[in-house]
Amino acid sequence: MTSQPSAKRITPADIEAQVRQITGHVDQTIARTTEVVKPKLVPLGAAGGAVLVAATYLLGRRRGRRRSTVVEIRRV
């Protein structure tokens, strides 16, 4: 099967129009996906932040206990 050259030449305007059409579809898809996912990510991010703060607190508390000085008082 041989392809025959078309009589119409491709111009920069044709290429630009095709690129704009493709990027328009991609932008619409991303916008729809963002609308669906964003409400789910906000609570998940807040929960992740709370877990991070709690883990940092507990690890710091453990380290503080290990490195603290113990003072022993003896009565004579």
Side-chain angles (χ1 to χ4, degrees):
M1 191 187 263
T2 60
S3 63
Q4 296 180 356
S6 63
K8 183 182 177 200
R9 294 187 61 116
I10 298 174
T11 64
D14 295 334
I15 295 172
E16 183 179 353
Q18 190 67 28
V19 169
R20 287 187 190 275
Q21 180 183 9
I22 292 170
T23 57
H25 290 302
V26 171
D27 290 341
Q28 289 173 355
T29 303
I30 290 173
R32 277 182 285 176
T33 304
T34 304
E35 290 173 4
V36 171
V37 173
K38 190 175 181 182
K40 296 176 185 176
L41 287 180
V42 171
L44 186 63
V51 168
L52 182 65
V53 168
T56 303
Y57 170 76
L58 292 174
L59 290 173
R61 185 174 164 193
R62 179 174 180 254
R63 184 173 181 185
R65 285 184 179 174
R66 282 186 21 210
R67 297 190 72 188
S68 63
T69 304
V70 176
V71 178
E72 185 176 324
I73 301 173
R74 293 186 183 185
R75 293 184 126 181
V76 184

